[in-house]
Amino acid sequence: MRVLSSLPALPALLLLSLLSSSGAQENPTKVRVWVDPPNPVILLGTEVTVNCSSDCADPLGIGLETRLTKAEESSGTHWKAFRLSNVTQDNSPLCFVNCRGKPQGIAKASITVYEPPRSLELSLEPSQEHSSIPIPLGQNMTLSCRLAGGRPRQHLTVALLRGTQKISKQPAPESPPDTVVVEFPLTATRQDDETSFSCQAELDLRPRGLELYESSSAPLKLSTYDIAPGPPNLTASRVLEAGTNKQVSCEMDNLFPVERAQIQLSWGGQILTQNSTTRQGDRLRATATITAPEKGDRELTCRVTLENETRQISENVTVYNLSEPTCTVSEPIEKGSLINLTCQVDPPARAVFEGAPSNETDRLSLIVQEKDNGRLFTCSAILELREEKITKNCTLKINFSVHEEMDLTPVLIGILVSVLAVSVLSFMGYIYYRQRRIRSYELKKAQEARAMQLMKPEAKLCP
């Protein structure tokens, strides 16, 4: 065949082939050459048969110039069919025909290799190892979709889905590497919490007579959260009496989602059993009861945790002892007498009598008057701790002494009424008793008289 003799001229003809269109040549002085199919689209790694034909009546040779693996499949007078196998890249094979007395005729095919998208993977940048990734609200993040395949790239788009909703779509970069990365910048919102994201690649070859090829990544679940920058609010008295119980509370606002937030109260390093824990809106609140057996300073701590962030507040509580004051008054308490009222307390508390002079607050002297009978006097034991004033009280009641003049009229009237009542009752009892005695005596006499009558001789016996 003379095809081989024409091969050295092929490089010079390649430039000409770029200027020529696929299919038959239009210049009548040249051999007309056709290639079929002119623009095949084939799946990666498959094969295609290219038919080269000519209008040359007696062609010296028909051939196909390509770097692909080829094999002559069949031939005729004016044509030859070549099978190209294991096609992995786009290629432009060149059909050439040598005809006697005419310049060489050529025709170029354009083979496009397509590959459906595969191996999609969605990740958060910088990459995380957790399946559920907590992101603070308002933080910027980038979701990167990495995929292989998806050729030709000019027909490939990549979309980001939140659940089933498509929220962004981008064309794939036409980069040569097999793997491409498409990035989607986002800002974390509440809507993203506990939401699964995925990316979807679409290779639309319908304009080329094929199909729409789709592939999706595995879902990536995100968790968003928000926690206030400041500490929680701890409500508790700064002082506590030893041996007593006190309820404390702690709350914090601006927690999202509040269901995942945790709150903990501790007293003197020991975690307290919470009386209640409530969640309402974005607020978390807990209450607990504290008690202390002895005086001293202890630390009360409230800790709120959401995701990997913690907010904490601690306060010192002073535990104290304060006994009730002891109130005493001098005897006797009589009208016109001078009495002394005293109040005793345990240090460091101080005693203060109501109305006592400022230089001697623990005692009070008083000349008793009529108006003072039944009067109450109050003394307070006052302990000042951490800008708080703690008090306990005792009271004294002034009662006059059985030596004061008394109005005996009510007493005498009572005695007279009692004597009169007793006399009347005694008289009535005597009359009743006497009448019974008289009746008993008369009955006895009548019985004796009848008995004497029966004992006389002239008395007749009854038949």
Side-chain angles (χ1 to χ4, degrees):
M1 295 179 62
R2 299 183 60 183
V3 175
L4 296 177
S5 63
S6 64
L7 288 178
L10 279 177
L13 295 175
L14 289 178
L15 180 62
L16 179 63
S17 69
L18 296 176
L19 300 177
S20 63
S21 61
S22 300
Q25 302 297 317
E26 300 298 333
N27 192 338
T29 63
K30 294 183 178 181
V31 178
R32 299 179 67 185
V33 179
W34 293 269
V35 59
D36 184 54
N39 299 298
V41 181
I42 65 172
L43 181 64
L44 174 73
T46 59
E47 60 185 27
V48 61
T49 299
V50 176
N51 188 302
C52 296
S53 60
S54 170
D55 62 353
C56 180
D58 186 17
L60 298 176
I62 300 175
L64 181 68
E65 178 68 19
T66 180
R67 295 181 179 179
L68 300 174
T69 302
K70 67 178 179 180
E72 185 176 323
E73 193 171 64
S74 59
S75 63
T77 304
H78 306 287
W79 60 273
K80 277 188 180 181
F82 299 91
R83 184 173 71 250
L84 306 179
S85 59
N86 194 26
V87 182
T88 58
Q89 298 291 336
D90 294 350
N91 197 271
S92 299
L94 187 67
C95 286
F96 62 91
V97 176
N98 294 323
C99 188
R100 191 181 306 274
K102 291 185 179 182
Q104 188 181 55
I106 60 173
K108 181 181 66 174
S110 179
I111 300 176
T112 300
V113 173
Y114 80 91
E115 179 186 11
R118 55 183 173 83
S119 303
L120 273 73
E121 180 181 358
L122 185 65
S123 61
L124 180 68
E125 298 297 337
S127 61
Q128 303 279 347
E129 297 180 357
H130 308 290
S131 59
S132 182
I133 305 166
I135 307 295
L137 292 186
Q139 178 173 303
N140 295 327
M141 57 182 173
T142 300
L143 291 175
S144 296
C145 185
R146 183 181 301 271
L147 72 150
R151 292 188 288 173
R153 295 283 162 75
Q154 62 267 28
H155 295 282
L156 179 65
T157 57
V158 181
L160 180 68
L161 282 71
R162 180 194 287 121
T164 59
Q165 180 187 9
K166 190 177 295 184
I167 61 174
S168 182
K169 186 175 183 179
Q170 296 185 28
E174 295 186 23
S175 54
D178 180 64
T179 300
V180 296
V181 177
V182 180
E183 295 184 341
F184 298 93
L186 290 177
T187 300
T189 66
R190 291 194 175 202
Q191 187 180 1
D192 300 328
D193 182 55
E194 294 296 303
T195 300
S196 293
F197 286 81
S198 61
C199 61
Q200 183 181 66
E202 297 180 350
L203 182 65
D204 191 358
L205 296 181
R206 288 174 294 186
R208 304 293 297 269
L210 297 175
E211 305 175 22
L212 173 65
Y213 300 92
E214 296 178 316
S215 182
S216 298
S217 70
L220 175 67
K221 190 175 183 180
L222 298 184
S223 298
T224 60
Y225 70 95
D226 189 25
I227 182 169
N233 181 29
L234 182 60
T235 303
S237 175
R238 294 186 297 175
V239 294
L240 174 67
E241 186 174 8
T244 62
N245 298 327
K246 192 75 172 181
Q247 180 170 286
V248 297
S249 65
C250 183
E251 64 181 34
M252 189 170 185
D253 292 325
N254 300 326
L255 292 171
F256 172 81
V258 71
E259 293 78 13
R260 294 205 298 267
Q262 302 296 323
I263 189 169
Q264 183 185 87
L265 286 162
S266 60
W267 170 238
Q270 300 296 320
I271 297 176
L272 293 172
T273 300
Q274 294 171 183
N275 298 334
S276 65
T277 303
T278 58
R279 293 172 171 86
Q280 184 175 11
D282 287 350
R283 175 180 296 177
L284 176 62
R285 186 175 189 270
T287 62
T289 301
I290 60 175
T291 184
E294 56 186 17
K295 67 178 182 178
D297 288 343
R298 278 184 171 81
E299 188 176 69
L300 178 65
T301 301
C302 176
R303 180 181 293 109
V304 176
T305 303
L306 179 59
E307 298 299 350
N308 57 350
E309 294 194 45
T310 299
R311 301 290 184 266
Q312 180 174 306
I313 187 173
S314 297
E315 288 189 5
N316 283 329
V317 177
T318 299
V319 182
Y320 67 90
N321 283 321
L322 179 60
S323 302
E324 291 185 356
T326 302
C327 295
T328 58
V329 61
S330 62
E331 298 286 351
I333 305 175
E334 299 177 350
K335 186 170 69 174
S337 63
L338 176 65
I339 60 173
N340 294 315
L341 293 83
T342 57
C343 183
Q344 293 180 338
V345 298
D346 295 330
R350 58 188 180 90
V352 177
F353 252 123
E354 183 181 0
S358 59
N359 60 343
E360 203 171 23
T361 59
D362 62 341
R363 61 191 66 247
L364 192 62
S365 296
L366 178 69
I367 297 176
V368 179
Q369 301 179 21
E370 182 70 31
K371 64 180 180 179
D372 295 324
N373 191 30
R375 182 178 173 184
L376 290 176
F377 291 87
T378 301
C379 177
S380 300
I382 300 176
L383 181 63
E384 294 182 358
L385 288 174
R386 304 186 63 181
E387 300 180 357
E388 291 193 29
K389 185 179 290 186
I390 307 154
T391 62
K392 286 190 176 181
N393 301 325
C394 66
T395 57
L396 282 173
K397 186 175 182 180
I398 302 300
N399 291 315
F400 287 172
S401 174
V402 297
H403 300 292
E404 293 293 319
E405 294 182 0
M406 300 179 59
D407 186 3
L408 300 179
T409 302
V411 178
L412 293 175
I413 292 175
I415 294 174
L416 289 175
V417 170
S418 299
V419 171
L420 181 59
V422 170
S423 299
V424 170
L425 292 174
S426 299
F427 177 74
M428 292 178 65
Y430 170 74
I431 295 299
Y432 174 74
Y433 175 75
R434 188 171 183 276
Q435 288 179 348
R436 287 191 62 185
R437 294 281 294 176
I438 292 173
R439 286 197 297 271
S440 177
Y441 177 77
E442 291 177 348
L443 179 59
K444 184 178 179 181
K445 288 295 186 180
Q447 292 175 347
E448 290 178 352
R450 182 168 179 79
M452 291 297 294
Q453 184 69 30
L454 292 175
M455 294 177 61
K456 291 181 178 182
E458 59 272 16
K460 295 180 178 182
L461 296 173
C462 295

